[in-house]
């Protein structure tokens, strides 16, 4: 028999203790993509993410980006509400007005002399926890547990591809954060194979890819390659000519669809070298995660028709919405089914990329969990 049982059992998806162990072993230890530097291009702009249960604030302080814990050290209110902002104001707690500098030190404490008597060292002792922050091109990453390899070493050869995508892609034309009803691993597994495309996406993704599939492991990461149907390739060539979209240099010789998984939960799909879909799958519970996506087009020539650009991006956003709705429904069905079984899934050879993903998870868990 060619097929073999998966390394993970149903209990590995639904057990709350398992999720907490994964947060420590997989999400806290490794670099997590939090956004593009484009989102923090104005002084004082900020974004908030939760990584391995940690509330992380990334903010621009006069051109310097810092990652700090989004919790006031006085009475523990959240410093920034929401997911992003461009207000440009100082980092001030909304509860009592404590104000923090770029190092996370509370430099402004209302009534300090009369009520607290904190000197410089006393203030420094109350500094916000700081996290490691690094970037490749416009891709911005945070690591909440100190130590481990530098970002470039962790990404390996894929760092060059991210840099090329940064140079070749424009700002997102569509983005959203969606709640999904499944374990985060179900969502990742769904993007690691094209076996489901005929059944789940007959009128969406199946109109783009031709069914071929080749996978190349890359350390803990992996890359999948699919061919594009001739009619879809002609559409992209036409759109490219109308808008002056130039394929990303690193993918200029790849006419198909390239899908990169950066372990554990960053998925990047590039279609015909001219559109990039960036997805993170962020666990929120044993049977839920947030899928956060961004769609970017290759850089267009100056003076490209705004009407043509609007027509192309509207079409692509609608196709992406349909595809995600189909995946969201089938992942919810898998999430519901996992509550009623105890064994492992059966993986065919066309799902070996999932097997690689499981092997990396199990190896990382064994390295860190007693």
């Amino acid at each position: 028999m060619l097929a073999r049982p998966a390394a993970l059992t149903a209990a590995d998806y639904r057990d709350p203790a398992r999720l907490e162990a994964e947060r420590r072993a997989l999400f806290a230890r490794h670099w997590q993509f939090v956004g593009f530097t484009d989102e923090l291009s104005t002084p004082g702009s900020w974004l908030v993410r939760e990584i391995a249960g940690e509330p992380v604030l990334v903010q621009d302080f006069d051109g310097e980006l810092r990652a700090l814990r989004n919790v006031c050290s006085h009475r523990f209110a959240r410093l920034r509400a929401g997911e992003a902002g461009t207000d440009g104001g100082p980092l001030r707690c909304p509860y009592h007005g404590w104000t923090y500098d770029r190092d996370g030190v509370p430099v402004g404490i209302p009534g300090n002399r009369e009520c607290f008597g904190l000197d410089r060292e006393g203030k420094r002792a109350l500094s916000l926890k700081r996290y490691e922050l690094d970037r490749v091109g416009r891709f911005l990453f945070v690591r909440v547990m100190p130590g481990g390899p530098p970002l470039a070493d962790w990404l390996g050869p894929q760092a060059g591809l991210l840099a090329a995508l940064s140079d070749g892609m424009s700002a997102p034309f569509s983005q959203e954060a969606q709640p999904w009803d499944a374990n985060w691993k179900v969502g990742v597994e769904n993007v690691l194979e094209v076996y489901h495309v005929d059944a789940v996406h007959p009128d969406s993704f199946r109109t783009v890819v031709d069914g071929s599939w080749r996978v190349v492991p890359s350390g803990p990461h992996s890359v999948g390659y699919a061919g594009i149907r001739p009619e879809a390739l002609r559409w992209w060539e036409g759109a490219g000519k109308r808008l002056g979209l130039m394929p990303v240099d690193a993918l200029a010789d790849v006419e198909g669809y390239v899908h990169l998984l950066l372990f554990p939960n960053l998925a990047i799909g590039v279609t015909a070298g001219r559109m990039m879909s960036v997805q993170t799958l962020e666990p929120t519970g044993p049977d839920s995660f947030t899928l956060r996506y961004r769609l970017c087009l290759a850089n267009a020539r100056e003076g490209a028709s705004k009407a043509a650009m609007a027509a192309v991006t509207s079409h692509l956003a609608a196709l992406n919405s349909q595809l995600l709705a189909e995946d969201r429904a089938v992942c919810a069905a898998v999430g519901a089914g996992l509550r009623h079984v105890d064994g492992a899934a059966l993986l065919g050879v066309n799902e070996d990329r999932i097997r690689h993903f499981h092997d990396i998870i199990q190896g990382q868990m064994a390295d860190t969990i007693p």
Side-chain angles (χ1 to χ4, degrees), residues 184 202 337:
W184 71 277

Side-chain angles (χ1 to χ4, degrees), residues 82-347:
E83 291 199 336
T86 57
D87 55 23
L91 180 54
R92 177 179 290 117
C93 178
Y95 196 5
H96 298 95
W98 283 37
T99 304
Y100 295 84
D101 68 10
R102 70 187 64 199
D103 295 318
V105 178
V107 292
I109 301 176
N112 178 44
R113 180 180 300 177
E114 302 84 359
C115 303
F116 294 92
L118 294 171
D119 59 13
R120 180 178 298 180
E121 291 306 311
K123 291 178 180 179
R124 286 194 174 278
L126 291 171
S127 295
L128 304 175
K129 184 175 182 179
R130 188 170 168 185
Y131 306 107
E132 293 178 275
L133 178 70
D134 204 352
R135 72 174 80 178
V136 172
R138 291 154 50 210
F139 289 80
L140 193 60
F141 292 81
V142 168
R143 182 167 57 190
V144 301
M145 184 181 292
L151 176 61
D153 291 350
W154 171 245
L155 295 174
Q158 309 313 325
L161 178 55
L162 292 194
L165 291 171
S166 288
D167 292 338
M169 293 287 171
S170 61
F173 65 85
S174 179
Q175 54 188 330
E176 186 182 3
Q178 299 179 346
W180 285 37
D181 295 326
N183 183 273
W184 71 277
K185 298 186 292 296
V186 171
V188 173
E189 291 161 6
N190 183 68
V191 301
L192 293 183
E193 45 88 1
V194 296
Y195 181 39
H196 72 283
V197 170
D198 284 345
V200 178
H201 306 300
D203 300 314
S204 55
F205 199 46
R206 189 63 181 89
T207 67
V208 178
V209 294
D210 63 8
S212 62
W213 190 235
R214 178 172 63 91
V215 174
V216 179
S218 179
H221 320 300
S222 63
V223 187
Y225 298 89
I228 291 183
R229 294 166 68 94
E231 54 270 33
L233 187 57
R234 285 194 296 271
W235 186 92
W236 273 108
E237 289 173 346
K241 289 179 181 178
R242 288 196 304 275
L243 301 177
L245 302 177
M246 295 299 296
V248 175
D249 287 343
L251 299 173
D253 296 330
V254 182
E255 292 186 336
Y257 174 76
V258 179
H259 185 272
L260 172 64
L261 175 72
L262 293 175
F263 187 85
N265 69 326
L266 172 59
I268 301 173
V270 186
T271 306
R274 295 180 178 90
M275 187 185 77
M276 176 175 66
S277 170
V278 180
Q279 299 179 352
T280 53
L281 299 93
E282 305 161 6
T284 54
D287 56 1
S288 63
F289 67 90
T290 295
L291 183 137
R292 193 183 306 275
Y293 77 82
R294 301 165 178 84
L295 299 180
C296 307
L297 278 181
N299 293 324
R301 68 169 182 268
E302 291 187 16
S305 165
K306 292 183 178 179
M309 179 66 75
V312 167
T313 55
S314 177
H315 167 75
L316 293 172
L319 182 63
N320 181 70
S321 293
Q322 178 183 349
L323 189 157
L324 289 184
E326 292 162 353
D327 276 337
R328 194 177 187 180
V330 79
C331 284
V334 174
L338 280 165
R339 303 184 192 124
H340 305 285
V341 295
D342 296 315
L346 186 66
L347 298 179

